[in-house]
């Protein structure tokens, strides 16, 4: 039942300043814009290899399995660096941390410009994965310091929308660079963009006033949850369910970045420009979903709807719906139906990313949030280490390329469905806050 004139008892007032003076609000949205740009560059860096997959494979004469291995190498240190970033974030200001990450992104693009070979590609992707592992959780942590708990839906969605925008913008631009100047030019351009962003953030970025508020009653009154061991904060249903949702969404994302461009060109017979256009359309669909969901989530939270239903169930449902579309892809007959299923399979999962941060933040005190975000991101993004290489192996071992893609899509659908259902059933922030409070 919604109480018309009061906040629900389970949602304490956030500390820190009120929504703020106009200069404070302007600074918050400037930081948001820079972080969106940060994520845009982040996902453009990730997607460049997939967009250049066909010319790279042709020039270097590499198999599907070898390309899959190169793509998966990105995730080799990704999870480890996400964990390290979560620990470092408690000691290093976001101004320094994000600037260093952007500089490493630029360096990671250089090996392939010196010598075009499989080892150079692997070296660059491993370094890039190490530098991008902490990017999403640490930038989200920095963003949360500028907004109170009940106003984080839109900023969270905008941060995650950097992924959709990164692909939306990168697909046509990078494809044009590859077509006009060769695939190496795309790596060089992204290195330059990373340097420019790092300089802008160094001049502007800093943490905001909402960095030390209690979260959703977990530390109400005594700061008890701050004293709980990290293991106890991680092993509750809400955090585990959030990890499951992120895992399912990341499986679709890693498959999309590594293999969707090649699938569109080799299986559907699209031109490079046509494939880039469709990938941009899928990203636009994700972007619209993110912008549509976030105001609804904020409104539901302000009206006192339990977080389980406002942010928990939607992320699991989104991943399950994407799984159903993925499973139907091999059996779609009409071209229009196939394209619609592609949009849902590789676009609908996007809303799980901001929502899984919000559900995690609902049960973790802000003093521990950076570390927990790092662990959640590290475990939730492990598919990047598995899905690209496994798909390449399936393609090489199948009787035909089409059969290989069928096996890959069905396997992906099964993984995503299990993850989506786990998120729906396990995420219960109100229950887990009470348990953590008792444990503290």
């Amino acid at each position: 039942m919604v109480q018309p004139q009061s906040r629900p008892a389970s949602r304490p007032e956030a500390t820190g300043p009120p929504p703020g003076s106009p200069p404070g609000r302007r600074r918050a949205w400037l930081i948001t814009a820079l972080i969106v740009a940060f994520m845009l560059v982040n996902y453009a860096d990730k997607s460049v290899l997939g967009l250049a997959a066909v010319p790279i494979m042709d020039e270097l004469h590499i198999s599907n399995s070898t390309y899959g291995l190169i793509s998966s190498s990105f995730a080799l240190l990704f999870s480890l660096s996400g964990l390290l970033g979560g620990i470092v974030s408690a000691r290093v200001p976001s101004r320094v941390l994000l600037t260093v990450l952007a500089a490493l992104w630029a360096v990671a693009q250089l090996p392939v410009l010196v010598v075009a070979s499989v080892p150079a590609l692997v070296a660059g992707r491993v370094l890039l994965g190490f530098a991008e592992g902490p990017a999403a959780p640490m930038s989200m942590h920095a963003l949360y310091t500028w907004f109170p708990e009940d106003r984080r839906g839109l900023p969270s969605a905008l941060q995650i929308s950097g992924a959709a925008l990164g692909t939306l913008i990168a697909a046509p631009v990078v494809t044009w660079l590859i077509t006009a100047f060769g695939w190496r030019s795309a790596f060089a351009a992204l290195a330059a963009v990373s340097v420019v962003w790092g300089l802008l953030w160094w001049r502007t970025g800093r943490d905001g006033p909402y960095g030390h508020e209690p979260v959703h009653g977990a530390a109400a009154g005594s700061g008890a949850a701050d004293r709980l061991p990290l293991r106890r904060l991680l092993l509750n249903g809400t955090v585990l369910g959030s990890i499951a949702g992120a895992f399912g969404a990341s499986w679709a994302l890693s498959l999309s970045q590594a293999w969707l461009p090649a699938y569109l060109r080799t299986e559907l017979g699209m031109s490079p420009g046509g494939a880039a256009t469709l990938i941009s359309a899928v990203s636009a669909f994700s972007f619209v979903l993110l912008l549509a969901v976030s105001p609804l989530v904020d409104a539901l939270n302000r009206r006192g709807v339990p977080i389980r239903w406002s942010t928990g169930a939607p992320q699991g449902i989104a991943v399950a719906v994407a799984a159903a579309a993925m499973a139907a892809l091999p059996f779609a007959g009409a071209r229009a139906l196939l394209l619609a299923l592609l949009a849902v399979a590789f676009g609908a999962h996007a809303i799980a990313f901001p929502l899984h941060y919000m559900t995690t933040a609902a049960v973790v005190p802000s003093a521990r949030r950076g570390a927990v975000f790092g662990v959640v991101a590290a475990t939730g993004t492990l598919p990047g280490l598995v899905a690209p290489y496994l798909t390449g192996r399936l393609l090489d071992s199948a009787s035909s390329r089409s059969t290989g893609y069928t096996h890959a899509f069905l396997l992906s659908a099964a993984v995503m469905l299990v993850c989506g259902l786990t998120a729906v059933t396990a995420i219960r922030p109100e229950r887990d806050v009470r348990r953590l409070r008792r444990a503290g």
Side-chain angles (χ1 to χ4, degrees):
M1 179 72 69
V2 176
Q3 302 298 324
Q5 298 296 329
S6 64
R7 285 176 67 91
S10 61
R11 295 179 186 271
E13 296 293 337
T15 60
S21 62
R25 289 197 297 270
R26 287 197 295 269
R27 168 69 68 164
W29 289 110
L30 173 61
I31 294 296
T32 302
L34 284 171
I35 286 178
V36 170
F38 177 78
M39 295 303 296
L40 189 155
V41 177
N42 175 293
Y43 278 86
D45 285 341
K46 290 179 181 178
S47 63
V48 65
L49 181 66
L51 293 168
V54 172
I56 288 175
M57 293 172 72
D58 289 344
E59 179 178 326
L60 302 184
H61 306 290
I62 59 178
S63 66
N64 293 305
S65 297
T66 301
Y67 168 73
L69 180 63
I70 295 170
S71 185
S72 287
S73 67
F74 171 86
L76 187 63
L77 299 179
F78 186 93
S79 297
L80 175 62
S81 66
L83 292 172
L84 294 176
I87 296 171
V88 170
S89 69
R91 300 172 176 83
V92 180
S94 63
R95 177 172 179 256
V96 175
L97 184 58
L98 298 188
T99 301
V100 170
L101 293 182
L104 289 176
W105 296 354
V107 174
Q109 308 296 352
L110 300 181
V112 76
L113 301 180
V114 177
V115 54
S117 65
V118 170
L121 285 167
V122 170
R125 298 307 284 183
V126 170
L127 177 58
L128 184 64
F130 177 81
E132 291 199 352
M138 295 308 97
S139 62
M140 187 71 83
H141 175 61
L143 185 63
Y144 276 13
T145 67
W146 286 96
F147 295 92
E149 183 181 357
D150 63 351
R151 296 182 182 274
R152 289 172 178 164
L154 180 57
S156 296
L158 289 173
Q159 190 260 17
I160 298 298
S161 74
L165 287 174
T167 307
L168 177 67
I169 296 172
V173 173
V174 170
T175 300
W176 172 75
L177 286 171
I178 292 169
T179 303
F181 305 104
W183 58 268
R184 294 168 184 77
S185 65
F187 288 81
L190 288 173
V193 171
S194 296
V195 170
V196 170
W197 187 92
L199 293 174
L200 290 174
W201 180 255
W202 182 254
R203 290 180 57 88
T204 309
R206 62 181 175 85
D207 292 328
Y210 292 99
H212 302 286
E213 82 278 15
V215 180
H216 196 59
S222 65
D226 285 333
R227 297 191 295 270
L228 288 173
L230 184 61
R231 173 183 57 82
R232 191 62 180 266
L233 293 174
L234 291 169
L235 296 180
N236 67 75
T238 294
V239 173
L240 293 176
S242 299
I243 289 172
F247 191 96
S250 293
W251 191 285
L253 180 62
S254 60
L255 186 65
S256 171
Q257 290 174 340
W259 286 105
L260 183 57
Y263 171 77
L264 296 177
R265 292 192 59 184
T266 60
E267 287 301 293
L268 302 190
M270 291 187 174
S271 66
T277 299
L278 181 58
I279 292 169
S280 293
V282 173
S283 299
F285 174 62
S286 296
F287 183 65
V288 170
L289 281 180
L290 288 166
L291 294 186
V293 167
S294 60
L296 176 61
V297 168
D298 277 346
L300 292 174
N301 286 340
R302 286 194 292 268
R303 289 174 64 86
V305 174
I307 294 180
R308 180 188 182 189
W309 302 116
S310 65
T311 59
Q315 64 187 276
I317 292 170
V319 173
V321 169
M326 187 82 72
L329 276 176
F331 312 105
R335 182 84 164 189
L337 176 60
L338 176 61
L339 297 181
L341 289 172
L342 282 169
V344 176
F346 293 108
H349 68 274
I351 65 173
F353 290 116
L355 296 183
H356 96 277
Y357 282 115
M358 294 177 70
T359 49
T360 298
V363 299
V364 176
S366 60
R368 313 294 293 277
R369 192 168 56 211
V372 174
F373 274 11
V375 174
V376 170
T379 52
T381 54
L382 284 174
L385 186 61
V386 180
Y389 175 67
L390 183 57
T391 299
R393 293 285 296 178
L394 290 172
L395 288 173
D396 281 341
S397 62
S399 58
S400 68
R401 184 184 293 269
S402 296
T403 302
Y405 277 117
T406 296
H407 294 165
F409 289 150
L410 292 177
L411 175 62
S412 299
V415 172
M416 293 164 62
L417 182 60
V418 171
C419 290
L421 295 178
T422 300
V424 170
T425 56
I427 295 175
R428 298 189 180 187
E430 291 79 10
R431 175 202 64 187
D432 291 329
V433 163
R434 291 193 296 269
R435 290 179 176 177
L436 290 172
R437 188 184 298 136
R438 289 196 296 267

